[in-house]
Amino acid sequence: QVQLVESGGGSVEAGGALRLSCAASGITFGNHYMSWFRQPPGKEREFAAFINRSGGSSYYGDSVKGRFTISRDNAKNMVYLQMTNLNPDDTAVYYCAASESGFSYHTGDYKYWGTGTQVTVSS
């Protein structure tokens, strides 16, 4: 059974930082590309960050570029999202997702999803 379990969300003031974690099980983690998506209240889910299988390449959505950093530890089956300089527009449920197909910012291209972790940023 495939499981992606996010953790690390919470409430933070603007300008603060959080580190999200996603633990994967039931898949050959090193064979999967990993991404973080987020869904702000009342809005559609949007791409935040992507990392390739080795961890050597990453891509970011325009709204998080320069503030968020995605990383992975294939030995631990973990993917992380370090978020800095948070602002209220970053308030969302954050999801990790796994794909075997390569880089994509489309939700439909990801086979496995976690259930999300809430991040709330107050002004």
PDB file of all heavy atoms in Angstrom, residues 95-121:
ATOM      1  N   TYR A  95       0.543  19.549  -0.189  1.00  0.00           N
ATOM      2  CA  TYR A  95       0.517  18.135  -0.526  1.00  0.00           C
ATOM      3  C   TYR A  95       1.826  17.713  -1.177  1.00  0.00           C
ATOM      4  O   TYR A  95       2.362  18.448  -2.009  1.00  0.00           O
ATOM      5  CB  TYR A  95      -0.598  17.837  -1.522  1.00  0.00           C
ATOM      6  CG  TYR A  95      -1.983  18.175  -1.065  1.00  0.00           C
ATOM      7  CD1 TYR A  95      -2.528  19.449  -1.265  1.00  0.00           C
ATOM      8  CD2 TYR A  95      -2.789  17.215  -0.450  1.00  0.00           C
ATOM      9  CE1 TYR A  95      -3.809  19.752  -0.858  1.00  0.00           C
ATOM     10  CE2 TYR A  95      -4.080  17.515  -0.040  1.00  0.00           C
ATOM     11  CZ  TYR A  95      -4.576  18.781  -0.245  1.00  0.00           C
ATOM     12  OH  TYR A  95      -5.856  19.075   0.154  1.00  0.00           O
ATOM     13  N   CYS A  96       2.308  16.531  -0.835  1.00  0.00           N
ATOM     14  CA  CYS A  96       3.379  15.967  -1.639  1.00  0.00           C
ATOM     15  C   CYS A  96       2.778  14.953  -2.603  1.00  0.00           C
ATOM     16  O   CYS A  96       1.718  14.361  -2.345  1.00  0.00           O
ATOM     17  CB  CYS A  96       4.486  15.356  -0.791  1.00  0.00           C
ATOM     18  SG  CYS A  96       4.077  13.855   0.092  1.00  0.00           S
ATOM     19  N   ALA A  97       3.456  14.788  -3.728  1.00  0.00           N
ATOM     20  CA  ALA A  97       2.955  13.933  -4.793  1.00  0.00           C
ATOM     21  C   ALA A  97       4.121  13.238  -5.479  1.00  0.00           C
ATOM     22  O   ALA A  97       5.222  13.797  -5.556  1.00  0.00           O
ATOM     23  CB  ALA A  97       2.162  14.754  -5.796  1.00  0.00           C
ATOM     24  N   ALA A  98       3.854  12.046  -5.983  1.00  0.00           N
ATOM     25  CA  ALA A  98       4.896  11.236  -6.622  1.00  0.00           C
ATOM     26  C   ALA A  98       4.493  10.879  -8.043  1.00  0.00           C
ATOM     27  O   ALA A  98       3.324  10.562  -8.311  1.00  0.00           O
ATOM     28  CB  ALA A  98       5.148   9.963  -5.812  1.00  0.00           C
ATOM     29  N   SER A  99       5.482  10.917  -8.919  1.00  0.00           N
ATOM     30  CA  SER A  99       5.256  10.588 -10.324  1.00  0.00           C
ATOM     31  C   SER A  99       6.419   9.757 -10.843  1.00  0.00           C
ATOM     32  O   SER A  99       7.549   9.924 -10.406  1.00  0.00           O
ATOM     33  CB  SER A  99       5.147  11.877 -11.133  1.00  0.00           C
ATOM     34  OG  SER A  99       5.232  11.618 -12.519  1.00  0.00           O
ATOM     35  N   GLU A 100       6.113   8.898 -11.815  1.00  0.00           N
ATOM     36  CA  GLU A 100       7.175   8.147 -12.499  1.00  0.00           C
ATOM     37  C   GLU A 100       7.503   8.761 -13.843  1.00  0.00           C
ATOM     38  O   GLU A 100       8.334   8.251 -14.572  1.00  0.00           O
ATOM     39  CB  GLU A 100       6.739   6.689 -12.680  1.00  0.00           C
ATOM     40  CG  GLU A 100       6.527   5.940 -11.376  1.00  0.00           C
ATOM     41  CD  GLU A 100       6.010   4.528 -11.609  1.00  0.00           C
ATOM     42  OE1 GLU A 100       4.904   4.385 -12.173  1.00  0.00           O
ATOM     43  OE2 GLU A 100       6.718   3.581 -11.239  1.00  0.00           O
ATOM     44  N   SER A 101       6.836   9.872 -14.157  1.00  0.00           N
ATOM     45  CA  SER A 101       6.850  10.376 -15.530  1.00  0.00           C
ATOM     46  C   SER A 101       7.734  11.580 -15.779  1.00  0.00           C
ATOM     47  O   SER A 101       7.804  12.036 -16.896  1.00  0.00           O
ATOM     48  CB  SER A 101       5.424  10.721 -15.955  1.00  0.00           C
ATOM     49  OG  SER A 101       4.585   9.604 -15.805  1.00  0.00           O
ATOM     50  N   GLY A 102       8.374  12.123 -14.766  1.00  0.00           N
ATOM     51  CA  GLY A 102       9.220  13.280 -15.006  1.00  0.00           C
ATOM     52  C   GLY A 102       8.569  14.571 -14.574  1.00  0.00           C
ATOM     53  O   GLY A 102       7.508  14.584 -13.943  1.00  0.00           O
ATOM     54  N   PHE A 103       9.186  15.685 -14.930  1.00  0.00           N
ATOM     55  CA  PHE A 103       8.719  16.984 -14.477  1.00  0.00           C
ATOM     56  C   PHE A 103       7.336  17.309 -15.037  1.00  0.00           C
ATOM     57  O   PHE A 103       7.073  17.182 -16.229  1.00  0.00           O
ATOM     58  CB  PHE A 103       9.697  18.078 -14.865  1.00  0.00           C
ATOM     59  CG  PHE A 103       9.158  19.458 -14.591  1.00  0.00           C
ATOM     60  CD1 PHE A 103       8.937  19.869 -13.284  1.00  0.00           C
ATOM     61  CD2 PHE A 103       8.866  20.331 -15.622  1.00  0.00           C
ATOM     62  CE1 PHE A 103       8.434  21.133 -13.009  1.00  0.00           C
ATOM     63  CE2 PHE A 103       8.371  21.602 -15.359  1.00  0.00           C
ATOM     64  CZ  PHE A 103       8.155  22.000 -14.059  1.00  0.00           C
ATOM     65  N   SER A 104       6.469  17.783 -14.162  1.00  0.00           N
ATOM     66  CA  SER A 104       5.167  18.284 -14.573  1.00  0.00           C
ATOM     67  C   SER A 104       4.628  19.177 -13.473  1.00  0.00           C
ATOM     68  O   SER A 104       4.879  18.922 -12.296  1.00  0.00           O
ATOM     69  CB  SER A 104       4.181  17.144 -14.831  1.00  0.00           C
ATOM     70  OG  SER A 104       2.890  17.665 -15.097  1.00  0.00           O
ATOM     71  N   TYR A 105       3.912  20.193 -13.865  1.00  0.00           N
ATOM     72  CA  TYR A 105       3.199  21.009 -12.864  1.00  0.00           C
ATOM     73  C   TYR A 105       1.694  20.765 -12.930  1.00  0.00           C
ATOM     74  O   TYR A 105       0.917  21.532 -12.375  1.00  0.00           O
ATOM     75  CB  TYR A 105       3.541  22.484 -12.989  1.00  0.00           C
ATOM     76  CG  TYR A 105       3.431  23.061 -14.367  1.00  0.00           C
ATOM     77  CD1 TYR A 105       2.214  23.448 -14.893  1.00  0.00           C
ATOM     78  CD2 TYR A 105       4.571  23.242 -15.136  1.00  0.00           C
ATOM     79  CE1 TYR A 105       2.135  23.996 -16.156  1.00  0.00           C
ATOM     80  CE2 TYR A 105       4.495  23.785 -16.396  1.00  0.00           C
ATOM     81  CZ  TYR A 105       3.271  24.157 -16.909  1.00  0.00           C
ATOM     82  OH  TYR A 105       3.198  24.700 -18.167  1.00  0.00           O
ATOM     83  N   HIS A 106       1.286  19.709 -13.619  1.00  0.00           N
ATOM     84  CA  HIS A 106      -0.122  19.337 -13.705  1.00  0.00           C
ATOM     85  C   HIS A 106      -0.444  18.272 -12.671  1.00  0.00           C
ATOM     86  O   HIS A 106       0.211  17.224 -12.615  1.00  0.00           O
ATOM     87  CB  HIS A 106      -0.439  18.809 -15.101  1.00  0.00           C
ATOM     88  CG  HIS A 106      -0.286  19.832 -16.167  1.00  0.00           C
ATOM     89  ND1 HIS A 106      -1.087  20.962 -16.239  1.00  0.00           N
ATOM     90  CD2 HIS A 106       0.561  19.913 -17.210  1.00  0.00           C
ATOM     91  CE1 HIS A 106      -0.727  21.675 -17.291  1.00  0.00           C
ATOM     92  NE2 HIS A 106       0.280  21.071 -17.896  1.00  0.00           N
ATOM     93  N   THR A 107      -1.481  18.490 -11.897  1.00  0.00           N
ATOM     94  CA  THR A 107      -1.831  17.525 -10.862  1.00  0.00           C
ATOM     95  C   THR A 107      -2.158  16.160 -11.455  1.00  0.00           C
ATOM     96  O   THR A 107      -1.872  15.123 -10.861  1.00  0.00           O
ATOM     97  CB  THR A 107      -3.037  18.022 -10.053  1.00  0.00           C
ATOM     98  OG1 THR A 107      -4.132  18.272 -10.939  1.00  0.00           O
ATOM     99  CG2 THR A 107      -2.706  19.293  -9.299  1.00  0.00           C
ATOM    100  N   GLY A 108      -2.737  16.126 -12.642  1.00  0.00           N
ATOM    101  CA  GLY A 108      -3.139  14.871 -13.257  1.00  0.00           C
ATOM    102  C   GLY A 108      -1.989  13.948 -13.626  1.00  0.00           C
ATOM    103  O   GLY A 108      -2.216  12.768 -13.907  1.00  0.00           O
ATOM    104  N   ASP A 109      -0.784  14.480 -13.630  1.00  0.00           N
ATOM    105  CA  ASP A 109       0.378  13.669 -13.992  1.00  0.00           C
ATOM    106  C   ASP A 109       1.003  12.954 -12.792  1.00  0.00           C
ATOM    107  O   ASP A 109       2.001  12.253 -12.950  1.00  0.00           O
ATOM    108  CB  ASP A 109       1.439  14.541 -14.662  1.00  0.00           C
ATOM    109  CG  ASP A 109       0.998  15.014 -16.030  1.00  0.00           C
ATOM    110  OD1 ASP A 109       0.216  14.285 -16.694  1.00  0.00           O
ATOM    111  OD2 ASP A 109       1.403  16.123 -16.439  1.00  0.00           O
ATOM    112  N   TYR A 110       0.436  13.154 -11.621  1.00  0.00           N
ATOM    113  CA  TYR A 110       0.968  12.540 -10.402  1.00  0.00           C
ATOM    114  C   TYR A 110       0.070  11.395  -9.965  1.00  0.00           C
ATOM    115  O   TYR A 110      -1.133  11.562  -9.819  1.00  0.00           O
ATOM    116  CB  TYR A 110       1.130  13.585  -9.303  1.00  0.00           C
ATOM    117  CG  TYR A 110       2.259  14.525  -9.636  1.00  0.00           C
ATOM    118  CD1 TYR A 110       2.079  15.580 -10.510  1.00  0.00           C
ATOM    119  CD2 TYR A 110       3.531  14.312  -9.118  1.00  0.00           C
ATOM    120  CE1 TYR A 110       3.126  16.404 -10.869  1.00  0.00           C
ATOM    121  CE2 TYR A 110       4.587  15.141  -9.457  1.00  0.00           C
ATOM    122  CZ  TYR A 110       4.374  16.180 -10.337  1.00  0.00           C
ATOM    123  OH  TYR A 110       5.424  16.997 -10.687  1.00  0.00           O
ATOM    124  N   LYS A 111       0.680  10.252  -9.733  1.00  0.00           N
ATOM    125  CA  LYS A 111      -0.072   9.036  -9.423  1.00  0.00           C
ATOM    126  C   LYS A 111      -0.419   8.928  -7.940  1.00  0.00           C
ATOM    127  O   LYS A 111      -1.480   8.417  -7.586  1.00  0.00           O
ATOM    128  CB  LYS A 111       0.730   7.814  -9.864  1.00  0.00           C
ATOM    129  CG  LYS A 111       0.006   6.492  -9.725  1.00  0.00           C
ATOM    130  CD  LYS A 111       0.822   5.369 -10.340  1.00  0.00           C
ATOM    131  CE  LYS A 111       0.078   4.039 -10.289  1.00  0.00           C
ATOM    132  NZ  LYS A 111       0.876   2.937 -10.891  1.00  0.00           N
ATOM    133  N   TYR A 112       0.482   9.376  -7.095  1.00  0.00           N
ATOM    134  CA  TYR A 112       0.303   9.193  -5.653  1.00  0.00           C
ATOM    135  C   TYR A 112       0.306  10.554  -4.952  1.00  0.00           C
ATOM    136  O   TYR A 112       1.117  11.423  -5.280  1.00  0.00           O
ATOM    137  CB  TYR A 112       1.419   8.319  -5.076  1.00  0.00           C
ATOM    138  CG  TYR A 112       1.533   6.971  -5.729  1.00  0.00           C
ATOM    139  CD1 TYR A 112       2.645   6.638  -6.502  1.00  0.00           C
ATOM    140  CD2 TYR A 112       0.520   6.025  -5.578  1.00  0.00           C
ATOM    141  CE1 TYR A 112       2.751   5.397  -7.107  1.00  0.00           C
ATOM    142  CE2 TYR A 112       0.625   4.783  -6.187  1.00  0.00           C
ATOM    143  CZ  TYR A 112       1.733   4.473  -6.953  1.00  0.00           C
ATOM    144  OH  TYR A 112       1.834   3.248  -7.552  1.00  0.00           O
ATOM    145  N   TRP A 113      -0.581  10.660  -3.955  1.00  0.00           N
ATOM    146  CA  TRP A 113      -0.740  11.908  -3.230  1.00  0.00           C
ATOM    147  C   TRP A 113      -0.837  11.633  -1.734  1.00  0.00           C
ATOM    148  O   TRP A 113      -1.393  10.613  -1.307  1.00  0.00           O
ATOM    149  CB  TRP A 113      -2.029  12.610  -3.654  1.00  0.00           C
ATOM    150  CG  TRP A 113      -1.971  13.177  -5.028  1.00  0.00           C
ATOM    151  CD1 TRP A 113      -2.239  12.529  -6.209  1.00  0.00           C
ATOM    152  CD2 TRP A 113      -1.622  14.505  -5.379  1.00  0.00           C
ATOM    153  NE1 TRP A 113      -2.063  13.378  -7.257  1.00  0.00           N
ATOM    154  CE2 TRP A 113      -1.687  14.604  -6.789  1.00  0.00           C
ATOM    155  CE3 TRP A 113      -1.251  15.638  -4.645  1.00  0.00           C
ATOM    156  CZ2 TRP A 113      -1.395  15.788  -7.470  1.00  0.00           C
ATOM    157  CZ3 TRP A 113      -0.962  16.812  -5.322  1.00  0.00           C
ATOM    158  CH2 TRP A 113      -1.038  16.881  -6.722  1.00  0.00           C
ATOM    159  N   GLY A 114      -0.321  12.566  -0.959  1.00  0.00           N
ATOM    160  CA  GLY A 114      -0.580  12.557   0.462  1.00  0.00           C
ATOM    161  C   GLY A 114      -1.895  13.242   0.768  1.00  0.00           C
ATOM    162  O   GLY A 114      -2.584  13.734  -0.139  1.00  0.00           O
ATOM    163  N   THR A 115      -2.228  13.281   2.048  1.00  0.00           N
ATOM    164  CA  THR A 115      -3.492  13.894   2.461  1.00  0.00           C
ATOM    165  C   THR A 115      -3.345  15.359   2.844  1.00  0.00           C
ATOM    166  O   THR A 115      -4.337  16.029   3.098  1.00  0.00           O
ATOM    167  CB  THR A 115      -4.105  13.128   3.636  1.00  0.00           C
ATOM    168  OG1 THR A 115      -3.154  13.091   4.710  1.00  0.00           O
ATOM    169  CG2 THR A 115      -4.474  11.705   3.221  1.00  0.00           C
ATOM    170  N   GLY A 116      -2.118  15.839   2.879  1.00  0.00           N
ATOM    171  CA  GLY A 116      -1.895  17.262   3.072  1.00  0.00           C
ATOM    172  C   GLY A 116      -1.608  17.667   4.501  1.00  0.00           C
ATOM    173  O   GLY A 116      -1.957  16.974   5.454  1.00  0.00           O
ATOM    174  N   THR A 117      -0.952  18.822   4.614  1.00  0.00           N
ATOM    175  CA  THR A 117      -0.689  19.432   5.913  1.00  0.00           C
ATOM    176  C   THR A 117      -0.970  20.934   5.798  1.00  0.00           C
ATOM    177  O   THR A 117      -0.607  21.558   4.806  1.00  0.00           O
ATOM    178  CB  THR A 117       0.760  19.167   6.379  1.00  0.00           C
ATOM    179  OG1 THR A 117       0.951  19.666   7.695  1.00  0.00           O
ATOM    180  CG2 THR A 117       1.792  19.780   5.448  1.00  0.00           C
ATOM    181  N   GLN A 118      -1.650  21.470   6.794  1.00  0.00           N
ATOM    182  CA  GLN A 118      -2.095  22.865   6.742  1.00  0.00           C
ATOM    183  C   GLN A 118      -0.969  23.803   7.162  1.00  0.00           C
ATOM    184  O   GLN A 118      -0.321  23.593   8.199  1.00  0.00           O
ATOM    185  CB  GLN A 118      -3.293  23.063   7.670  1.00  0.00           C
ATOM    186  CG  GLN A 118      -3.779  24.503   7.773  1.00  0.00           C
ATOM    187  CD  GLN A 118      -4.460  24.981   6.519  1.00  0.00           C
ATOM    188  OE1 GLN A 118      -5.325  24.300   5.961  1.00  0.00           O
ATOM    189  NE2 GLN A 118      -4.101  26.175   6.051  1.00  0.00           N
ATOM    190  N   VAL A 119      -0.789  24.840   6.364  1.00  0.00           N
ATOM    191  CA  VAL A 119       0.121  25.931   6.710  1.00  0.00           C
ATOM    192  C   VAL A 119      -0.689  27.219   6.749  1.00  0.00           C
ATOM    193  O   VAL A 119      -1.388  27.538   5.785  1.00  0.00           O
ATOM    194  CB  VAL A 119       1.262  26.056   5.683  1.00  0.00           C
ATOM    195  CG1 VAL A 119       2.075  27.321   5.929  1.00  0.00           C
ATOM    196  CG2 VAL A 119       2.158  24.830   5.732  1.00  0.00           C
ATOM    197  N   THR A 120      -0.624  27.922   7.851  1.00  0.00           N
ATOM    198  CA  THR A 120      -1.346  29.174   8.008  1.00  0.00           C
ATOM    199  C   THR A 120      -0.349  30.261   8.376  1.00  0.00           C
ATOM    200  O   THR A 120       0.387  30.130   9.352  1.00  0.00           O
ATOM    201  CB  THR A 120      -2.423  29.057   9.095  1.00  0.00           C
ATOM    202  OG1 THR A 120      -3.320  27.994   8.753  1.00  0.00           O
ATOM    203  CG2 THR A 120      -3.201  30.356   9.225  1.00  0.00           C
ATOM    204  N   VAL A 121      -0.348  31.329   7.591  1.00  0.00           N
ATOM    205  CA  VAL A 121       0.567  32.445   7.826  1.00  0.00           C
ATOM    206  C   VAL A 121      -0.259  33.676   8.155  1.00  0.00           C
ATOM    207  O   VAL A 121      -1.105  34.094   7.365  1.00  0.00           O
ATOM    208  CB  VAL A 121       1.453  32.707   6.602  1.00  0.00           C
ATOM    209  CG1 VAL A 121       2.474  33.803   6.915  1.00  0.00           C
ATOM    210  CG2 VAL A 121       2.155  31.430   6.157  1.00  0.00           C
TER     211      VAL A 121
END
